Amino acid sequence: MTGSIGILTAGGDSPGLNAAIRAISRSAAADGRQVIGFRDGFRGLMENRTVRLSSDVVSGILTAGGTLLGTSRDKPHKMPVGSRTLDMREKMAEVYEANHLDVLICLGGGGTQKNAFGLMEQGLNVITVPKTIDNDVYGTDVTFGFDTALGIATEAVDRLHSTAHSHHRIIVLEVMGHNTGWLALGAGIAGGADVILMPEIPYDFDVVAQAVLRRSQAGKNFSIVAVAEGAVSREGSQELAEARSRIAAADSKQERKEAKAELAERQSDQVGNTLRLTRGLEERTGLESRLTILGHVQRGGTPSAGDRLLATRLGTACVELVREQTYGVMVASRGDGVEAVPLEEVIGKRKVVPGDHPWVASARSVGVCLGD
Ligand code: F6P
């Protein structure tokens, strides 16, 4: 007699989540297993808010955006409960037992890998499936959601061309990516942006302004700048490094708390960064400039064919692992196949764009300014 499989979706939603839920539920049903979904991420697990993912419930969801289970950014070990923040991992383990689960499958990004690992330490069998439009989960070639967001961001770059051209303007397009520039780089290359800025390469204002001016001198009196929300100038990057070293050097708990708050404030001023960039370029080049922030449009709507395929591939492979009782792993995409990567190897790491990545080389080869 086999137990049930639990599933939850956590972190920012990502196109392809429903396709993965459907793949897991259908594959598990073929084994005669019951699949129980928990609503709104780890909060639903704590509160035992469930939905039985029968074949009726998962029917017709392959093409739907978002997640039918709902999601949240709640962390099991730091859960706001009333006016307090509590470690609720034990409670979650009780709910796991009460539902007679063999395994809990957590669909999420970098934070979810860590949270799932925390539950594993509590004795739960867990498997994770990586998703995020940012494509920055360590240990997997790619995450689902990225391809859809890449398509949306590329279309935005395409569309901005005609209006920037007509008005002889610089248009700065901010795309998502707090810590990594996969989306900005991919959409920038695919859409033909003139400048691409990302967190991995702190930019020099003057270098960017010069690139735009060179275009004007060559008779191209408009420019498109694709920028990841977490991109920072060299000065900004220096300030962040100093804030980080203040945390490391803090002598007391209070000092550390204050230094952390300062870092968080600097990091949260991302819209401010892009606005400053837009205004700074206008001042330095004398060209009228506008800012477009694409925001959550990138996470919405129906998943691309590529994301549906990837989510289905990872979802079915996940059930294979359940059959083998391989737990404590993330189902990573590796070429056309999958690999079970131990969670210990994934947590606390991030897949950033390496300086020698082929996309970086290609961007430079076609004359894109990367701000350095
Ligand atoms: O983690 C994915 C992501 O889409 C990031 O690109 C973005 O910075 C963040 O989520 C936005 O989070 P929220 O939807 O909670 O504002």
Side-chain angles (χ1 to χ4, degrees):
M1 177 72 183
T2 47
S4 301
I5 295 177
I7 309 189
L8 59 80
T9 55
D13 67 340
S14 198
L17 277 170
N18 284 326
I21 293 169
R22 170 181 175 271
I24 293 167
S25 304
R26 289 203 165 183
S27 305
D31 295 348
R33 279 182 183 265
Q34 175 170 268
V35 181
I36 297 170
F38 293 93
R39 297 193 186 275
D40 304 332
F42 292 101
R43 180 163 291 275
L45 176 62
M46 174 185 83
E47 294 170 353
N48 198 14
R49 282 189 285 120
T50 60
V51 50
R52 222 195 117 217
L53 295 173
S54 61
S55 55
D56 273 3
V57 174
V58 300
S59 173
I61 66 168
L62 175 65
T63 57
T67 160
L68 81 90
L69 290 174
T71 186
S72 71
R73 292 198 182 274
D74 288 310
K75 301 179 178 79
H77 64 292
K78 271 190 191 171
M79 183 72 70
V81 182
S83 58
R84 298 199 295 162
T85 301
L86 302 173
D87 183 346
M88 298 304 287
R89 283 177 291 187
E90 251 178 55
K91 171 72 191 157
M92 290 180 194
E94 282 167 27
V95 173
Y96 175 97
E97 290 301 329
N99 283 287
H100 308 290
L101 299 184
D102 274 346
V103 59
L104 176 70
I105 299 173
C106 304
L107 280 54
T112 302
Q113 313 304 320
K114 228 176 174 168
N115 292 329
F117 183 74
L119 291 178
M120 183 182 128
E121 287 181 319
Q122 203 66 44
L124 275 61
N125 294 327
V126 296
I127 300 179
T128 64
V129 183
K131 66 91 185 106
T132 163
I133 67 159
D134 292 354
N135 196 30
D136 62 354
V137 176
Y138 186 85
T140 183
D141 287 357
V142 67
T143 52
F144 62 80
F146 175 63
D147 185 61
T148 308
L150 183 61
I152 297 168
T154 301
E155 192 188 340
V157 178
D158 289 352
R159 287 181 181 275
L160 289 174
H161 266 88
S162 59
T163 175
H165 179 258
S166 304
H167 284 268
H168 320 305
R169 283 172 172 160
I170 299 173
I171 299 196
V172 175
L173 172 69
E174 183 192 282
V175 300
M176 280 189 170
H178 258 109
N179 301 297
T180 57
W182 293 105
L183 261 183
L185 183 60
I189 295 173
D194 308 296
V195 179
I196 301 173
L197 305 176
M198 47 189 187
E200 293 87 340
I201 306 179
Y203 59 85
D204 183 321
F205 253 120
D206 292 325
V207 169
V208 178
Q210 284 307 319
V212 169
L213 285 173
R214 267 198 307 279
R215 279 178 55 79
S216 302
Q217 282 148 15
K220 302 262 175 81
N221 53 6
F222 75 96
S223 286
I224 304 289
V225 180
V227 50
E229 62 188 330
V232 280
S233 64
R234 284 194 176 145
E235 298 75 34
S237 152
Q238 180 69 27
E239 282 169 17
L240 286 175
E242 282 165 13
R244 283 195 187 98
S245 54
R246 270 196 288 282
I247 296 176
D251 285 331
S252 64
K253 230 178 168 184
Q254 182 59 24
E255 230 177 84
R256 194 176 153 76
K257 202 174 157 195
E258 283 168 15
K260 272 190 165 176
E262 191 196 323
L263 176 67
E265 202 184 310
R266 285 194 188 284
Q267 285 173 326
S268 73
D269 192 20
Q270 288 173 330
V271 172
N273 282 343
T274 322
L275 200 57
R276 274 190 290 281
L277 170 72
T278 310
R279 290 189 180 141
L281 285 180
E282 185 164 276
E283 273 165 32
R284 283 172 165 84
T285 62
L287 293 169
E288 201 176 26
S289 304
R290 292 287 188 272
L291 168 62
T292 298
I293 298 178
L294 208 49
H296 292 81
V297 167
Q298 292 159 99
R299 291 215 312 240
T302 188
S304 67
D307 278 336
R308 293 179 206 176
L309 190 54
L310 176 60
T312 303
R313 227 158 46 72
L314 297 184
T316 54
C318 182
V319 176
E320 283 291 330
L321 293 174
V322 175
R323 284 178 195 133
E324 293 167 11
Q325 301 186 6
T326 302
Y327 302 130
V329 293
M330 176 182 82
V331 192
S333 172
R334 197 71 76 233
D336 283 338
V338 298
E339 197 180 308
V341 182
L343 282 176
E344 287 96 328
E345 291 176 19
V346 177
I347 55 165
K349 296 181 190 151
R350 184 175 287 130
K351 187 182 75 181
V352 298
V353 180
D356 60 356
H357 192 275
W359 290 7
V360 173
S362 293
R364 292 195 198 278
S365 292
V366 295
V368 176
C369 168
L370 297 181
D372 56 345

